[in-house]
Amino acid sequence: MNAATLADRRVHFATVPLRFVKSAPSTLLGIPAAFAFISEYGLEWILAFAAGVALLTMFGNWLVWRRFKYGIGAREIVIESGLLNRNRRSIPFDRIQDVDIERGPLQRLFGLAKVRIETGGAAKDEGVLDSVTLAEAHRLRAALRGGRSEALAQAEVAEPEVESRTLFAMALPRVLLSGLFSFSLIYLAGLFGLLQTFRAWLPFDINDPARWLGLIDDRAVQGYFSPAAIAAVLVLALLVGVVAGAVRTLARDYDFRLTLEDGSRFRRERGLFTRTEIVIAKARVQLGLVKTGPLRTRLDAFDLRFQTLSTGKGSEGGHQSVAPFATDAELRAILDAEGRLRLPDPDRLMMVSKRHVLRVALREVLLPLPFILGAAILFPPALLLLGALPLLVGGALLQRHFHRYALSGGLLFVQRGFWRRKLWIVPVARSQAVELTRTFIQRRLGLANLLVDTAGASMLTNPRIHDLRLEAAEQLSAAIVDQLSGRKSGTDR
Amino acid sequence: MNALEPGYLWVMRAHAALGTLIALFPAAIGGIIAHDEAGLPYLTFVVPVLLVSVFTILLRPARLHRAWGYRMDPRDLHIARGVWTRVQTVVPLRRVQHIDIAQGPIERAFGVCRLVLHTAGTMHSRVVLPGLGRATAEDMRDEIRSHIREGAD
């Protein structure tokens, strides 16, 4: 199909007045009101002005309508839009996940419908036809759905009766234990905020926590910031943090249950007050993420999440916890059930370049140095901060020790972090793009960052590999791209 | 790596020139105020703006333009960009969800357009390759489209 699909249709003309009516309350009513305030013209002038604006808006809507065209080809839908910035979008049928038809009250009045075309892409409005006649909407849906490949359509049909097997469940003691690790000080801040608000009714002074605890009765003897008072505050904060974390975890993860249904999808149930239940189709799993830390590793406890692809409505995209506090064996069993994911062989994980330490040190030592020295001129004790710098360098060394990666058997493993250790397990076939980045300093040091982009990934935590040697990065990138494009078959997205 | 069309250099220059024009207004007004209030010359702020514009209009676009490059392999599109931070992106053509060809008024005046690839990824849900001739962009789109079908089979 080399002949370009012709974009020869426009949305229904009634869209022009419809859009006008929709936008009228915000634009039209505001103008006379604003005008009346700032001018001394009479009502007739204001009305005339409003009429002028209305006409202009109408004309604008008409222009937008005239310049918006769509067309359906043999295997794609084409949408052209834009007044000055012309845009021509082609959406192949094979990529269309769903076609929604929406009808608001106004649209129903005119017998119209808004057609929303969803693909797996991350953007929201990927293809919106606002609005066409209902008949055209149904015709479009039929045409677009008909063009979609069979495998996808089948995956969405749920069978009524299925065999299911429990993969992972947490009893109460384990939920509580896991709660100890979700220590959080956010609730402490909230608590203090509340106390601050209601302090007039409190029987104690919240700015005086030592007395509050009854640890120090004689304020005059102890001095204002006595070590005991500070220790008391810290202990209290710690306690509140631990209790808050445990309560939150209990409410969320009570009676946590993960089952495998029909061998093709996971079902997760959890919660004390609100019981939630979600289904994750295996085909939707984009990658696995294992979180742990030095203490949890000792306790043989790992937090496993699946990153899933979201599709517009049932917004269950992002990271889904599938086993918040699992042992190594349970972890392996779940990954086994998933089929493609597995844990890496620790011996094959490689460290990034030694110069990673140098770069982190450059960033964390050279940057604060001038500030500390500058501050020291005004306030000499600031020099004590210099003592913190070796700690930062030590931290950098530790980070490098735990930052490892491996590419083996179609999976890319990336491990990062010491205290909050994360291990990404990325099926190469699932990755969307590969990016190699070199900042100015990295180019001087011969280093590069490598990022494999996946669907549904979070902006904050992603399997980026920092400071690989350039050659290593290029080899790895080439190997991933080879595996990614080399395979011919693949219904997976 | 293929370079972008020379037209794109002028698109970037036009954008930068517009920016300079916009910046000149407050600079001129500020100069008048500075003259009246403090006795400074009228061009106190205009001259620095013009000096900066030498960099943004003449030097920077040329460097940026040189930094851009793309290569269409049978299965992937390679894009390189960035002067200070070099970024190389590889998009496997099978991963593309849909494709835009976009053209603004300035781009149209210089005969170039942008090819925008949408993938399902999060960081690179939009991979933009600017500064292509219309014919090149359309050929590339057709080529990529054929891969999308292949990938979905």
Side-chain angles (χ1 to χ4, degrees):
Chain A
M1 183 190 54
N2 280 321
T5 305
L6 216 58
D8 52 355
R9 286 163 182 273
R10 293 203 173 98
V11 294
H12 198 274
F13 185 73
T15 309
V16 178
L18 215 72
R19 247 183 230 152
F20 176 72
V21 171
K22 264 189 205 157
S23 65
S26 51
T27 54
L28 268 191
L29 294 179
I31 291 161
F35 219 68
F37 266 114
I38 56 166
S39 79
E40 286 154 21
Y41 293 105
L43 183 68
E44 59 270 34
W45 280 103
I46 294 168
L47 285 179
F49 184 74
V53 171
L55 270 177
L56 264 177
T57 318
M58 271 294 226
F59 179 68
N61 284 346
W62 177 77
L63 266 182
V64 169
W65 171 80
R66 227 188 103 74
R67 298 289 268 165
F68 187 98
K69 285 182 183 175
Y70 68 94
I72 296 187
R75 307 197 74 147
E76 62 173 353
I77 175 163
V78 169
I79 299 174
E80 285 185 5
S81 62
L83 296 181
L84 292 173
N85 268 303
R86 293 291 290 162
N87 197 51
R88 184 182 156 97
R89 170 165 298 182
S90 338
I91 308 177
F93 287 163
D94 291 317
R95 284 289 185 257
I96 294 174
Q97 298 280 329
D98 206 355
V99 184
D100 285 354
I101 296 182
E102 278 177 29
R103 305 189 74 199
L106 275 173
Q107 282 155 336
R108 249 177 300 192
L109 205 66
F110 285 87
L112 298 180
K114 186 182 196 173
V115 179
R116 196 186 288 275
I117 300 159
E118 277 172 8
T119 71
K124 277 268 177 262
D125 284 342
E126 296 175 308
V128 179
L129 301 178
D130 180 16
S131 302
V132 295
T133 61
L134 192 58
E136 171 74 355
H138 285 303
R139 192 186 75 81
L140 277 170
R141 178 145 77 176
L144 299 179
R145 281 204 169 151
R148 204 161 53 144
S149 55
E150 289 299 306
L152 274 173
Q154 272 172 9
E156 281 160 21
V157 180
E159 282 103 88
E161 215 163 292
V162 287
E163 47 136 356
S164 70
R165 143 172 99 90
T166 303
L167 282 174
F168 176 74
M170 285 205 298
L172 188 59
R174 183 138 61 141
V175 175
L176 287 175
L177 186 61
S178 84
L180 293 185
F181 286 92
S182 51
F183 168 81
S184 152
L185 284 177
I186 294 168
Y187 291 88
L188 189 71
L191 189 70
F192 266 98
L194 268 178
L195 289 177
Q196 215 32 279
T197 315
F198 297 108
R199 68 177 153 189
W201 292 280
L202 292 177
F204 51 83
D205 179 5
I206 65 157
N207 293 324
D208 194 358
R211 176 173 293 168
W212 179 17
L213 279 180
L215 290 179
I216 305 158
D217 290 326
D218 195 349
R219 164 71 52 229
V221 175
Q222 295 294 332
Y224 204 64
F225 283 115
S226 67
I230 292 169
V233 173
L234 285 179
V235 167
L236 184 78
L238 213 66
L239 267 174
V240 172
V242 167
V243 170
V247 168
R248 193 178 51 149
T249 308
L250 184 67
R252 191 189 55 205
D253 286 345
Y254 179 77
D255 196 18
F256 191 101
R257 200 169 289 280
L258 181 77
T259 47
L260 180 68
E261 283 187 347
D262 192 28
S264 69
R265 56 184 182 267
F266 297 98
R267 178 183 295 275
R268 184 194 73 190
E269 294 163 76
R270 64 173 189 185
L272 180 58
F273 304 113
T274 27
R275 198 92 185 124
T276 62
E277 189 181 315
I278 68 157
V279 175
I280 306 168
K282 267 190 193 174
R284 286 237 181 281
V285 176
Q286 302 293 313
L287 62 79
L289 171 60
V290 181
K291 289 184 177 183
T292 185
L295 254 130
R296 279 182 284 177
T297 320
R298 291 275 151 71
L299 286 171
D300 193 16
F302 302 90
D303 178 1
L304 175 65
R305 283 146 197 266
F306 284 160
Q307 181 177 306
T308 60
L309 179 76
S310 80
T311 57
K313 279 189 289 184
S315 66
E316 53 186 48
H319 291 152
Q320 293 297 338
S321 173
V322 287
F325 212 69
T327 63
D328 189 62
E330 284 167 327
L331 198 68
R332 285 171 195 277
I334 297 169
L335 292 178
D336 254 6
E338 200 280 333
R340 276 166 312 147
L341 304 179
R342 64 188 155 74
L343 291 180
D345 178 358
D347 299 334
R348 300 194 61 170
L349 287 175
M350 288 176 285
M351 283 202 249
V352 297
S353 166
K354 286 198 181 72
R355 277 163 281 175
H356 177 50
V357 179
L358 185 61
R359 193 175 75 92
V360 174
L362 274 178
R363 195 179 56 203
E364 300 201 338
V365 175
L366 280 191
L367 223 60
L369 206 57
F371 291 99
I372 293 177
L373 293 181
I377 294 170
L378 302 172
F379 182 63
L383 279 175
L384 288 175
L385 285 173
L386 287 178
L389 294 182
L391 282 178
L392 292 175
V393 174
L397 280 165
L398 211 58
Q399 296 288 347
R400 188 216 164 214
H401 185 76
F402 284 97
H403 188 19
R404 293 165 188 242
Y405 68 96
L407 177 70
S408 105
L411 293 173
L412 175 70
F413 302 99
V414 181
Q415 180 188 279
R416 217 167 63 203
F418 163 69
W419 190 252
R420 290 163 185 271
R421 203 170 304 161
K422 292 185 177 123
L423 171 70
W424 284 268
I425 310 167
V426 190
V428 171
R430 286 286 160 135
S431 51
Q432 303 286 336
V434 182
E435 187 175 83
L436 211 86
T437 317
R438 287 185 293 153
T439 62
F440 182 71
I441 291 174
Q442 281 181 318
R443 274 186 289 150
R444 293 297 167 282
L445 294 174
L447 300 174
N449 282 359
L450 185 78
L451 173 67
V452 171
D453 193 19
T454 50
S458 135
M459 288 289 185
L460 296 175
T461 64
N462 47 53
R464 198 188 290 274
I465 310 175
H466 296 283
D467 294 332
L468 285 162
R469 271 185 310 110
L470 181 60
E471 310 84 73
E474 277 171 348
Q475 275 171 19
L476 189 61
S477 161
I480 291 170
V481 170
D482 273 357
Q483 287 191 22
L484 195 47
S485 331
R487 289 181 340 131
K488 182 75 170 68
S489 73
T491 42
D492 51 355
R493 292 176 312 279
Chain B
M1 285 277 179
N2 303 316
L4 301 187
E5 294 284 324
Y8 184 59
L9 183 60
W10 292 99
V11 170
M12 284 193 285
R13 288 197 168 140
H15 275 290
L18 273 178
T20 303
L21 273 183
I22 291 167
L24 274 179
F25 273 105
I29 293 166
I32 292 167
I33 294 171
H35 178 77
D36 293 351
E37 300 290 322
L40 295 170
Y42 279 118
L43 299 181
T44 310
F45 299 113
V46 172
V47 170
V49 167
L50 287 178
L51 284 179
V52 171
S53 76
V54 170
F55 173 72
T56 58
I57 299 178
L58 295 179
L59 305 177
R60 209 170 90 96
R63 295 182 68 189
L64 282 173
H65 191 267
R66 268 201 305 277
W68 273 100
Y70 70 94
R71 193 178 74 230
M72 195 71 163
D73 277 0
R75 292 171 189 278
D76 330 283
L77 175 64
H78 296 249
I79 298 176
R81 65 174 199 278
V83 173
W84 286 97
T85 298
R86 295 284 299 155
V87 179
Q88 284 165 270
T89 313
V90 186
V91 186
L93 302 183
R94 289 175 53 220
R95 295 286 127 166
V96 175
Q97 296 281 339
H98 53 264
I99 318 160
D100 291 349
I101 291 183
Q103 194 177 42
I106 296 177
E107 285 169 312
R108 194 163 337 152
F110 291 105
V112 294
C113 59
R114 271 166 291 157
L115 188 70
V116 186
L117 309 184
H118 297 256
T119 74
T122 310
M123 308 305 218
H124 305 285
S125 62
R126 270 167 55 89
V127 178
V128 183
L129 179 58
L132 298 174
R134 186 91 204 179
T136 322
E138 278 173 3
D139 285 352
M140 283 171 79
R141 181 196 55 199
D142 291 341
E143 171 74 22
I144 295 167
R145 202 161 47 187
S146 69
H147 280 273
I148 295 176
R149 286 212 307 278
E150 216 171 88
D153 286 339

